[in-house]
């Protein structure tokens, strides 16, 4: 059974930084595309960024490009999200997602992934 586990959320001041980590376990030789999504209260879950299965392709939403950076170890199915210059609008529950044996493109939609973590809260305050 595949498990996706995030860690690293917390409370940070405006302009601060946080690093989230994600691990996919329970697979048997599968390679995964991995992505980060976030969901704020009353809003839909939205794509933040992701990588394809070999880690060579990365994609980011316009709202975080230049501030957030994804790192990926495809041999271990692990991924991190370095978040810098955080803003109040970044406050949300952040989810890691994984897609087994995908095509080379980076999935950017919720339906593009079939394994999800429980989420970790990120709160940016003044």
């Amino acid at each position: 059974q595949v498990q996706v586990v995030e860690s690293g959320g917390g409370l940070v001041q405006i302009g601060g930084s946080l690093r989230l980590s994600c691990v996919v376990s329970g697979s048997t030789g599968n390679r995964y595309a991995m992505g980060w999504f976030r969901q704020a209260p009353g809003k839909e879950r939205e794509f933040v960024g992701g990588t394809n299965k070999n880690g060579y392709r990365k994609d980011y939403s316009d709202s975080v490009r230049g501030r957030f950076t994804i790192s990926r170890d495809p041999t271990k199915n692990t991924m991190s999200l370095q978040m810098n210059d955080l803003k109040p609008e970044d406050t949300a529950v952040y989810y890691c997602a994984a897609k087994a044996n995908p095509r080379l493109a980076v999935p950017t939609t919720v339906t593009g992934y079939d394994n999800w973590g429980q989420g970790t809260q990120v709160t940016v305050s003044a």
Side-chain angles (χ1 to χ4, degrees):
Q1 183 177 358
V2 176
Q3 286 189 317
V4 181
V5 179
E6 313 96 337
S7 61
L11 175 65
V12 65
Q13 292 186 329
I14 294 173
S17 298
L18 276 177
R19 187 177 183 89
L20 306 183
S21 297
C22 177
V23 178
V24 179
S25 62
S27 63
T28 55
N30 288 332
R31 300 179 72 184
Y32 292 84
M34 297 179 70
W36 289 101
F37 288 75
R38 65 187 182 187
Q39 188 166 19
K43 295 187 177 181
E44 293 186 353
R45 192 169 297 189
E46 65 173 358
F47 176 75
V48 174
T51 78
N52 68 339
K53 61 181 179 180
N54 59 24
Y56 294 150
R57 292 186 182 179
K58 299 176 184 177
D59 196 5
Y60 299 91
S61 68
D62 289 342
S63 62
V64 307
R65 187 175 290 112
R67 298 188 297 123
F68 291 10
T69 302
I70 289 173
S71 299
R72 173 74 195 270
D73 183 345
T75 65
K76 299 180 180 179
N77 284 325
T78 62
M79 177 179 65
S80 63
L81 179 68
Q82 178 65 41
M83 304 184 294
N84 297 328
D85 189 23
L86 283 161
K87 305 175 181 181
E89 52 264 42
D90 295 318
T91 295
V93 177
Y94 282 70
Y95 296 90
C96 181
K99 169 68 176 176
N101 297 323
R103 298 179 179 181
L104 288 178
V106 178
T108 60
T109 63
V110 171
T111 55
Y113 294 86
D114 45 26
N115 299 283
W116 291 84
Q118 294 298 308
T120 184
Q121 177 70 45
V122 172
T123 303
V124 184
S125 66

